[in-house]
Amino acid sequence: MKCLAWFVLGFGIRLIGLGTLPPWTDECATLAFSLGNSFLEVPLNQLIPPEQLLDPLQPTPGAGLGEVWQHLMQESTHPPLYFFLTHLWLQPVREASPEPLLWASRALSAFWGALTIPAMYGLGKRAFGSATVAHLAAALMALSPLGVFLAQEARHYTLAIFLAIASYYSFTLALETLFNPNSSAQRWLWGWTSVWILVNGLGIAVHYFFGLLPLMQGVVLGSHWLQGTVPRTARAWRGVGVAALGTAVTGLVWLPVWGGFVESDLTDWVSDGQLGVFESLGRGVLWLISMVFMAPLDVFVLPLWGLVLAAAGLLLALVALGYLLYRHRGKTRPQVRIWWQVFWVELLLLLGLTYSTGNDLTLAPRFFFPLLPVVLLLVAALLESAWLHQQKHVLSLGLILLVGSLSVVSNLSYLQNHRGDRLAGIINSTSDVPVILATTHKHHGQTGRLQAIAWELRRLNTSLPQQFLLAHPDEEHYPTDVLREELSTLSPPFDVWYINFHAPQVSDQQIPNWTRIPIPREQFPAVNGYRYDLVQYR
């Protein structure tokens, strides 16, 4: 019953404010591709109305799984399983307006996120043989700020985490049969081997980074084989070998697909900046902390004193957790040692990929999803003794976790998503004449940024006439020239909002007959995900 209570609590938190924000770029991709739509049909280098910009987020009659596969493979770098599931999940509400479609697609992620709670209970019980560890692990997952954050997005990470927990469960059974030949798991060796292969294959079909997880498991088990801590003739090694081979096959079948997007523009953002050793390490530490603790830290809306108080509270929570773990350090179960190995190998694989390839995987917390179950399981195991002797202290930490989760659902914590709602509000309250929203276009990421603004302007029921421009540079088009040509077909007054426009603005000399009034950027608040300027024409 306690596990059910954690599930209800976690699911309830994940449903709070689920439809509050417009879809950000990645969610636009999830919705469009899951509906069987393409971003390539949105016109470039010409002014378009909001209805045409938002068309990929509308259901297309007759679009099926074939269209989902076709457009996903042509325009994205993600495997298809989650998009197939979302397509089927949305079938009952396909005729609804876009807002219910977005809510439903986020609800699917929240549902998988809630299922990770009882899954963590099962993993904790199997890995440590302790109901206390199991309940603590389920509670930590229910309240995990990162777990809640990922569950509120229409993305595939919660399903990947659920499958990761299932893979860790099979990994635990392998350890059990290797270290204890008399274990009950020995009798169904080929059963858990088959499940292990299945969940690893499904995980890779949800997110390619899932492949790091079986790689880590292989490194940990291989180290024990080399060290001889487990008899090399143990029968269970056969199951491990078959699982390794089967998992490798389920990964290698995607090689032709991977080859198609090695040079994709969609992944440039992880390598565009200067990779800094300490900056990346610092971000990684922050993401690990946010798996357990978070505070309202939105620098775009909170006053300085509020940020200082929140940071101080977060620091005190870390100190309190450290104190409890240190005080009870000698009373943990022996299984903790091998889960520390799992943690360090997985973390080193993520950082190794970052520093060896120059693709900074610490830029976004979502890439740390394989580590989330491991971190929570370790914290639960380390807190077991504290719970048995100092329950009030552990409950106090639980309240801090709850505050962190609520700060997430209040959109005051993670600043990774682009807040098109905030920019739409600024545009709606500033302009009183027709508006032109222009951005330079590289791929559907920029389309999604404008779609978020158009989505929110529609929700605000604004009376502002709107037109949008995706200026895509090529041999025949330069963004500034495209915008100038489109503006020359209009008559003032109107406002031009330059949004992430990576080209020079249209100058006075290019349209000499109109009065051009640039508004100082300092008059507007900063908005995460957007760099914008306003120029008025009168």
Side-chain angles (χ1 to χ4, degrees):
M1 290 300 295
K2 288 183 180 179
C3 186
L4 178 61
W6 294 127
F7 172 82
V8 172
L9 174 63
F11 199 14
I13 290 173
R14 285 156 175 78
L15 291 176
I16 295 175
L18 205 59
T20 303
L21 299 181
W24 71 290
T25 297
D26 285 10
E27 289 185 302
C28 288
T30 298
L31 196 54
F33 293 134
S34 298
L35 291 171
N37 295 334
S38 169
F39 285 95
L40 299 179
E41 297 175 0
V42 178
L44 304 176
N45 297 322
Q46 66 182 71
L47 293 175
I48 58 175
E51 296 78 16
Q52 201 165 8
L53 176 65
L54 293 172
D55 192 56
L57 308 184
Q58 307 277 353
T60 299
L65 294 177
E67 285 73 23
V68 176
W69 169 268
Q70 176 188 347
H71 298 310
L72 194 65
M73 293 300 103
Q74 185 178 5
E75 303 173 44
S76 181
T77 58
H78 290 293
L81 181 56
Y82 192 79
F83 298 88
F84 287 164
L85 292 176
T86 304
H87 178 86
L88 299 174
W89 173 268
L90 294 178
Q91 289 300 310
V93 292
R94 280 181 62 86
E95 303 306 320
S97 61
E99 284 76 12
L101 283 171
L102 175 63
W103 191 95
S105 61
R106 286 174 173 166
L108 177 60
S109 177
F111 174 71
W112 284 113
L115 286 182
T116 63
I117 298 168
M120 279 299 294
Y121 177 89
L123 177 60
K125 188 71 177 293
R126 192 81 209 189
F128 289 92
S130 165
T132 300
V133 173
H135 280 298
L136 287 172
L140 286 168
M141 181 60 85
L143 299 175
S144 168
L146 181 60
V148 172
F149 173 67
L150 296 177
Q152 288 212 310
E153 292 189 333
R155 297 296 284 164
H156 40 205
Y157 294 99
T158 50
L159 175 55
I161 293 169
F162 179 80
L163 292 171
I165 296 171
S167 181
Y168 285 127
Y169 193 94
S170 298
F171 172 73
T172 301
L173 291 174
L175 293 172
E176 194 175 308
T177 53
L178 287 170
F179 284 93
N180 182 12
N182 297 320
S183 166
S184 60
Q186 190 75 246
R187 295 195 300 270
W188 40 292
L189 170 67
W190 300 114
W192 60 254
T193 297
S194 302
V195 171
W196 203 359
I197 295 171
L198 176 63
V199 296
N200 285 343
L202 291 175
I204 295 171
V206 170
H207 199 293
Y208 295 129
F209 282 0
F210 191 99
L212 293 175
L213 196 149
L215 181 59
M216 172 279 301
Q217 295 169 347
V219 170
V220 172
L221 291 173
S223 68
H224 284 279
W225 187 86
L226 290 172
Q227 295 170 18
T229 53
V230 179
R232 296 179 182 178
T233 57
R235 178 171 173 263
W237 284 117
R238 302 176 191 174
V240 172
V242 171
L245 180 62
T247 298
V249 171
T250 63
L252 292 175
V253 296
W254 295 102
L255 273 178
V257 177
W258 296 339
F261 57 73
V262 169
E263 302 297 331
S264 173
D265 292 340
L266 291 166
T267 58
D268 283 352
W269 67 276
V270 295
S271 57
D272 279 347
Q274 185 70 30
L275 179 62
V277 176
F278 297 107
E279 293 90 339
S280 298
L281 283 176
R283 278 192 297 268
V285 171
L286 289 176
W287 304 146
L288 292 173
I289 292 172
S290 73
M291 295 178 183
V292 183
F293 293 126
M294 179 54 78
L297 295 172
D298 192 338
V299 297
F300 295 97
V301 297
L302 295 176
L304 180 60
W305 63 267
L307 293 171
V308 171
L309 287 178
L314 187 59
L315 182 60
L316 287 175
L318 287 172
V319 171
L321 176 62
Y323 166 76
L324 280 178
L325 298 184
Y326 177 78
R327 182 168 182 176
H328 298 273
R329 65 191 183 283
K331 304 172 185 177
T332 57
R333 295 175 181 268
Q335 297 96 320
V336 167
R337 181 174 176 271
I338 198 163
W339 285 99
W340 273 119
Q341 294 175 357
V342 170
F343 168 79
W344 285 113
V345 172
E346 186 73 52
L347 180 61
L348 289 174
L349 283 174
L350 279 168
L351 295 177
L353 272 177
T354 291
Y355 294 119
S356 64
T357 65
N359 295 308
D360 195 347
L361 303 184
T362 70
L363 287 173
R366 57 186 180 272
F367 293 146
F368 279 61
F369 75 85
L371 271 169
L372 178 61
V374 181
V375 170
L376 299 185
L377 187 64
L378 274 171
V379 173
L382 294 170
L383 281 176
E384 180 186 20
S385 178
W387 173 257
L388 296 175
H389 298 92
Q390 294 179 292
Q391 286 192 12
K392 290 183 179 179
H393 292 79
V394 178
L395 287 173
S396 297
L397 290 176
L399 289 176
I400 297 174
L401 260 79
L402 179 60
V403 170
S405 299
L406 294 178
S407 74
V408 171
V409 299
S410 302
N411 305 308
L412 293 174
S413 296
Y414 289 95
L415 306 180
Q416 290 295 299
N417 294 355
H418 316 127
R419 293 298 300 271
D421 60 312
R422 291 179 178 171
L423 183 50
I426 294 169
I427 293 171
N428 188 50
S429 62
T430 303
S431 293
D432 55 5
V433 295
V435 294
I436 312 299
L437 286 73
T439 189
T440 48
H441 178 270
K442 191 174 184 180
H443 48 67
H444 64 71
Q446 290 73 45
T447 307
R449 281 173 173 82
L450 285 192
Q451 285 175 330
I453 300 171
W455 183 290
E456 183 67 10
L457 287 172
R458 180 178 60 186
R459 191 188 69 82
L460 293 172
N461 198 25
T462 180
S463 59
L464 283 177
Q466 312 153 42
Q467 294 192 78
F468 296 81
L469 175 68
L470 294 159
H472 185 82
D474 54 35
E475 294 180 357
E476 300 179 0
H477 302 91
Y478 186 70
T480 306
D481 296 334
V482 170
L483 179 57
R484 176 186 56 78
E485 291 174 4
E486 293 299 310
L487 293 181
S488 65
T489 65
L490 306 176
S491 298
F494 57 81
D495 289 349
V496 176
W497 290 86
Y498 291 87
I499 300 171
N500 298 338
F501 197 84
H502 302 295
Q505 297 182 7
V506 176
S507 65
D508 294 331
Q509 293 75 23
Q510 289 175 306
I511 310 181
N513 298 327
W514 298 345
T515 301
R516 179 179 179 273
I517 310 171
I519 306 300
R521 182 179 295 169
E522 294 74 20
Q523 292 188 13
F524 300 107
V527 176
N528 39 321
Y530 293 92
R531 182 181 176 87
Y532 63 99
D533 293 284
L534 168 62
V535 176
Q536 298 176 335
Y537 285 91
R538 300 293 185 264

